[in-house]
Amino acid sequence: MSRPQATAAPQARQSTETSDSRQGEQQQRPARRDAYFDNAKYLAIVLVAMGHAWEPLRDGSRTVTALYTFVYAFHMPAFIVISGYFSRTFDARPAKIKRLVTGVLVPYVVFETAYTLFTRWTDGVPDRPITLLDPLYLTWFLIALFVWRLTTPIWRTLRWPLPVALVIAMLATVSPSIGNDLDLQRVLQFLPYFVLGLCLRPEHFRLLRRWRVRALAVPVVAGALAVSYWAVPRMTGAWFFHRDSAQELGAPAWYGPVVTLAAFGCSTILVACFLSWVPGRRLFFTALGAGTLYGYLLHGFLAQGSKFWGWYDPAWIHGPFGEITVTLVAATAVTVLCTAPVRRIFRCVTEPRMNWAFRRTAQEPQPS
């Protein structure tokens, strides 16, 4: 009776050791990236760069202004929805807080300072103050993401998170006293898209990729482009920037909540159309999806410098051939900025490890 037990014990230990070994290998093995979301992030960052490149071309071009408004209606909402989707597991664990600080807050401090110093030169404002309370140019997204992700546990607890987020956004549009601190107007007005991402599940994205949805997206996008072209001389597209209250846009206060709901509906539909067309297989640009933060933060220096360096001064740039050229150059430039060599160079300020700044937790492995 004792002999089988003696034999079973080593087998049990071996089985346990094998299981522990496999679990250790799985923990050490990096999680495989989803090609669909990498493709979506890359295509979205290309649209962001193109939108910034079109900005100096809007005067005198109804077509460019229409495209600019159309893209601004959904490119940042798409980014924010995806950011919310990948924030679903965020909690207050030390490892998550560390990642939030090193991956969002530190880059915000670095690039807010860098853009201030750079625009002192390009904008001819040598006394522009360095301040972390008033985000400059595109750095607003980092501080907004920091705030949104910190509040994720709250949204995950609420029974109706999206309606609550929409009410907050609506109230922000009638509150001009919010001011520019931390760009809170954008933080609050873009909040529903982040919360929407938190509420999504993998099956929702599979639903979007059905061929019927993709086919339906064609007339929807065509109609949105037509409406954008029609609206250019009739209304402002600044509502899609989500950085001002209704009163600051010269509209009655009650416009704010109404336009917030209408813009959320329009933008969400266009985000769905965009995501329905994103390919799910690995393509030549899929790997670049891992570097979209680099493309986002770095392309702004080119966008700002191009005006100072006179790239938009030649008359031909403001014609059809020039507009196409600017579009292609912007797409190419942001693509290069997402590549692995660029990421290696700027990782120290965009994704610093900073182990020296944090206490070691029990979950972290001891250094060998």
Side-chain angles (χ1 to χ4, degrees):
M1 295 295 293
S2 62
R3 194 167 185 176
Q5 292 175 356
T7 304
Q11 289 177 347
R13 285 196 299 269
Q14 183 179 2
S15 176
T16 303
E17 290 172 359
T18 302
S19 176
D20 292 343
S21 176
R22 288 176 179 173
Q23 290 178 358
E25 291 177 0
Q26 291 175 355
Q27 290 176 355
Q28 293 177 1
R29 187 183 302 130
R32 185 173 181 178
R33 298 186 64 91
D34 191 319
Y36 171 75
F37 288 107
D38 277 341
N39 292 338
K41 289 192 290 183
Y42 167 74
L43 294 174
I45 197 61
V46 169
L47 291 175
V48 170
M50 288 164 53
H52 286 154
W54 288 338
E55 188 173 352
L57 301 175
R58 288 183 298 164
D59 291 340
S61 177
R62 184 173 180 177
T63 300
V64 172
T65 305
L67 288 173
Y68 180 87
T69 303
F70 169 76
V71 166
Y72 266 78
F74 74 91
H75 70 350
M76 285 311 298
F79 247 128
I80 296 168
V81 167
I82 294 173
S83 298
Y85 178 74
F86 282 103
S87 299
R88 292 172 300 156
T89 59
F90 181 84
D91 51 33
R93 285 182 294 170
K96 297 292 181 69
I97 295 295
K98 175 183 175 182
R99 181 70 183 117
L100 180 62
V101 171
T102 59
V104 179
L105 187 59
V106 171
Y108 169 71
V109 173
V110 170
F111 281 90
E112 174 66 20
T113 303
Y115 271 111
T116 301
L117 297 176
F118 186 71
T119 55
R120 281 181 179 181
W121 172 51
T122 58
D123 293 349
V125 186
D127 57 346
R128 173 169 287 163
I130 297 176
T131 172
L132 301 181
L133 295 179
D134 187 7
L136 183 65
Y137 197 36
L138 46 72
T139 59
W140 70 268
F141 177 70
L142 290 177
I143 199 62
L145 183 60
F146 181 78
V147 173
W148 294 332
R149 196 162 284 173
L150 274 181
T151 61
T152 293
I154 298 176
W155 303 111
R156 300 288 293 166
T157 303
L158 294 179
R159 180 170 295 179
W160 300 291
L162 187 55
V164 172
L166 280 169
V167 169
I168 292 175
M170 293 162 64
L171 292 175
T173 62
V174 297
S175 306
S177 60
I178 287 178
N180 295 323
D181 289 349
L182 299 181
D183 222 342
L184 279 180
Q185 278 289 359
R186 275 175 165 162
V187 173
L188 299 177
Q189 290 191 38
F190 274 116
L191 174 63
Y193 301 100
F194 182 81
V195 175
L196 174 62
L198 290 175
C199 297
L200 294 178
R201 297 291 182 271
E203 55 267 27
H204 295 132
F205 293 95
R206 288 195 292 270
L207 177 64
L208 286 177
R209 294 163 64 187
R210 292 181 177 179
W211 71 267
R212 290 185 180 88
V213 178
R214 292 178 172 178
L216 182 61
V218 175
V220 171
V221 169
L225 284 168
V227 171
S228 297
Y229 189 83
W230 171 86
V232 168
R234 294 174 174 84
M235 61 184 66
T236 176
W239 290 101
F240 290 116
F241 299 158
H242 297 290
R243 66 187 178 198
D244 298 302
S245 65
Q247 297 92 320
E248 290 170 318
L249 292 175
W254 65 267
Y255 269 43
V258 174
V259 174
T260 296
L261 289 176
F264 180 77
C266 294
S267 296
T268 301
I269 291 173
L270 291 177
V271 168
C273 293
F274 167 74
L275 293 175
S276 72
W277 287 346
V278 172
R281 63 186 185 280
R282 292 193 65 82
L283 299 170
F284 68 94
F285 56 78
T286 301
L288 300 175
T292 51
L293 180 62
Y294 294 80
Y296 178 80
L297 291 174
L298 295 173
H299 88 277
F301 292 103
L302 294 177
Q304 288 289 310
S306 62
K307 306 167 193 174
F308 176 77
W309 296 318
W311 292 359
Y312 290 92
D313 292 346
W316 68 272
I317 288 291
H318 297 267
F321 179 72
E323 293 164 355
I324 294 174
T325 301
V326 167
T327 303
L328 295 176
V329 169
T332 302
V334 78
T335 297
V336 171
L337 294 176
C338 293
T339 57
V342 175
R343 285 152 52 192
R344 282 194 293 269
I345 294 172
F346 291 97
R347 182 169 287 122
C348 60
V349 293
T350 306
E351 295 179 287
R353 293 186 178 180
M354 296 181 61
N355 292 329
W356 54 268
F358 298 92
R359 295 178 179 178
R360 186 173 301 279
T361 62
Q363 293 82 2
E364 293 179 333
Q366 295 293 329
S368 56

